[in-house]
Amino acid sequence: MLSPEEQQEIAAVAAHYELKKAAGIDALRIVQRHRGWVSDQTLRDVAEALEMSPTDLDSVATFYNLIFRRPVGRHVILICDSVSCWVMGYENLLDHLQRRLGIGLGQTTSDGLFTLLPHVCLGACDQAPAMMIDDQLYGCLDAEKIDAILGSFEK
Ligand code: FES
């Protein structure tokens, strides 16, 4: 069940569109901001609020890969695996991140702090190799820089 706050925010966004279902992505982002991810039940509740079928909303959620359909950690690390980052050392950085966190791609640390996911180009090719943690972009990465960044979240 959507909270009154979520219902209010979704209604406000949907009011900008002729058809409520046009607010699909925005509505999913709203619930993800509140809950961290979008469960099947939440997706059905959002679909109902937008007067659309859960199947149609699920296809929107699947297409937009920043909607998490499974539980994630408190912080989500998106490591870019596209060409520029690959050339600039993606594989070594991924190895380092995986060792440092003790998890593989698609997994969450046992303390629930980080989830590590691959991502296509983050639009920061001039700063390759790059990653994002939540909404913050980090570029020109090396192992040392990654340790410092992760350390700032672990405090
Ligand atoms: S290729 Fe990695 S940010 Fe573009």
Side-chain angles (χ1 to χ4, degrees):
M1 193 172 163
L2 299 176
S3 70
E5 214 178 351
E6 289 168 328
Q7 289 175 23
Q8 212 170 33
E9 288 179 40
I10 290 171
V13 164
H16 292 117
Y17 300 98
E18 198 172 320
L19 292 174
K20 283 185 179 181
K21 67 180 179 184
I25 289 282
D26 296 317
L28 292 169
R29 291 186 63 161
I30 286 168
V31 294
Q32 183 163 284
R33 180 161 41 78
H34 285 277
R35 300 164 186 240
W37 66 293
V38 180
S39 69
D40 290 345
Q41 183 57 56
T42 303
L43 185 124
R44 284 193 288 272
D45 293 340
V46 172
E48 192 182 332
L50 296 178
E51 297 168 1
M52 65 191 293
S53 79
T55 308
D56 285 351
L57 185 59
D58 197 22
S59 58
V60 171
T62 305
F63 178 74
Y64 186 70
N65 61 3
L66 290 178
I67 297 297
F68 307 127
R69 296 284 281 117
R70 283 189 287 171
V72 290
R74 195 134 44 92
H75 303 288
V76 176
I77 302 172
L78 302 173
I79 177 137
C80 174
D81 61 5
S82 295
V83 177
S84 300
C85 290
W86 192 279
V87 170
M88 296 302 285
Y90 158 82
E91 282 179 307
N92 289 340
L93 288 185
L94 177 62
D95 279 351
H96 182 74
L97 262 174
Q98 291 183 134
R99 264 197 316 275
R100 174 77 163 66
L101 297 170
I103 56 172
L105 283 172
Q107 297 179 334
T108 299
T109 53
S110 56
D111 62 1
L113 191 57
F114 294 110
T115 294
L116 179 61
L117 298 173
H119 199 275
V120 292
C121 182
L122 292 166
C125 310
D126 59 328
Q127 299 174 59
M131 69 178 182
M132 276 186 87
I133 302 182
D134 304 329
D135 292 330
Q136 179 70 47
L137 177 73
Y138 299 92
C140 305
L141 294 171
D142 55 27
E144 216 167 88
K145 208 164 168 184
I146 283 179
D147 287 344
I149 293 163
L150 295 182
S152 70
F153 285 88
E154 291 162 340
K155 285 176 186 165

